[in-house]
Amino acid sequence: MAGETTNNNQIVIPSITRLYLAPVGATAPDDATVAMPAALRSVGLTTEDSLKFNSEPNFEQVKSAQSSYPTRTFQTSDAATIEVDLQQWSGANFRSVYGGGEIAEITPSGGGTGKHYKFTPPRIGSRTEVMAVIEVIDGGKHYRYVIPRCMQMEGVSKDLAKTKEAVLPLRLAVQGGDDLDAWYVLTDDPAFAPAA
């Protein structure tokens, strides 16, 4: 872009990241710093290097005998995903990682004390969509990726090794629709101000 200058203040180092989930249709935050709406639940602690947001457009190319290069390129589809490894094991996080499911209190048959619970993953066709908000903070700059609809669409592989923490791999695929933005970013970063 004409007039761009080098500016080290535009380098982003995500010193704090958070992920929030809510049922589809929940109220999204209005801006980058307003208190998170109550329906959005934090997934809690995540591994420090696992949070990724990927945008993956797909293209087709037209080739012609008169050129060694494509003569036309057009976009055929769009896709985006969220990846993060959750460190906190909870019923809500299990439901997020497996795309739904049921949790019930059960009576221990061994005569033990305390409450016991049973998690059952969702049946085919029963996965639920969620709304997600990724929050990224770099000093005084705030960014919120708002994804109105996404769904867990990958298998779950947990490493249950004795010598390291066991994490819950959350992989969400962004869902679209004609009536809403598939995803968008809210920020108070002055570098995003539209050119005059």
Side-chain angles (χ1 to χ4, degrees):
M1 196 159 83
E4 268 309 302
T5 60
T6 56
N7 184 343
N8 67 344
N9 290 323
Q10 293 179 354
I11 296 172
V12 174
I13 301 170
S15 58
I16 297 175
T17 59
R18 297 182 183 104
L19 176 64
Y20 298 85
L21 301 175
V24 169
T27 301
D30 292 330
D31 61 42
T33 59
V34 68
M36 199 63 70
L40 283 152
R41 172 192 69 83
S42 172
V43 299
L45 299 173
T46 62
T47 60
E48 64 182 355
D49 59 352
S50 68
L51 182 57
K52 296 177 178 70
F53 179 82
N54 305 303
S55 177
E56 302 162 2
N58 294 300
F59 297 89
E60 290 288 335
Q61 294 183 329
V62 176
K63 296 187 178 186
S64 304
Q66 293 76 26
S67 176
S68 298
Y69 295 91
T71 50
R72 181 158 182 205
T73 302
F74 57 97
Q75 187 172 350
T76 58
S77 65
D78 215 341
T81 57
I82 300 166
E83 299 178 24
V84 67
D85 293 334
L86 311 183
Q87 292 178 307
Q88 292 184 219
W89 285 39
S90 67
N93 280 352
F94 254 66
R95 293 187 79 238
S96 298
V97 165
Y98 285 96
E102 299 296 327
I103 299 173
E105 186 174 332
I106 59 172
T107 303
S109 61
T113 59
K115 295 183 179 184
H116 289 229
Y117 307 93
K118 176 182 177 181
F119 169 75
T120 306
R123 294 178 182 263
I124 293 175
S126 298
R127 287 181 184 260
T128 54
E129 292 183 351
V130 294
M131 172 189 188
V133 176
I134 300 169
E135 187 170 55
V136 178
I137 300 172
D138 178 10
K141 297 184 291 189
H142 305 82
Y143 309 85
R144 285 178 173 168
Y145 288 74
V146 179
I147 301 95
R149 293 177 52 221
C150 52
M151 177 182 265
Q152 193 283 344
M153 293 179 60
E154 287 192 24
V156 177
S157 177
K158 289 197 290 288
D159 188 352
L160 301 174
K162 179 179 180 179
T163 57
K164 62 181 180 178
E165 66 178 319
V167 297
L168 300 174
L170 179 61
R171 308 293 183 258
L172 298 171
V174 174
Q175 306 293 291
D178 292 338
D179 58 340
L180 51 80
D181 295 318
W183 63 272
Y184 56 92
V185 176
L186 302 170
T187 183
D188 58 0
D189 185 344
F192 279 70

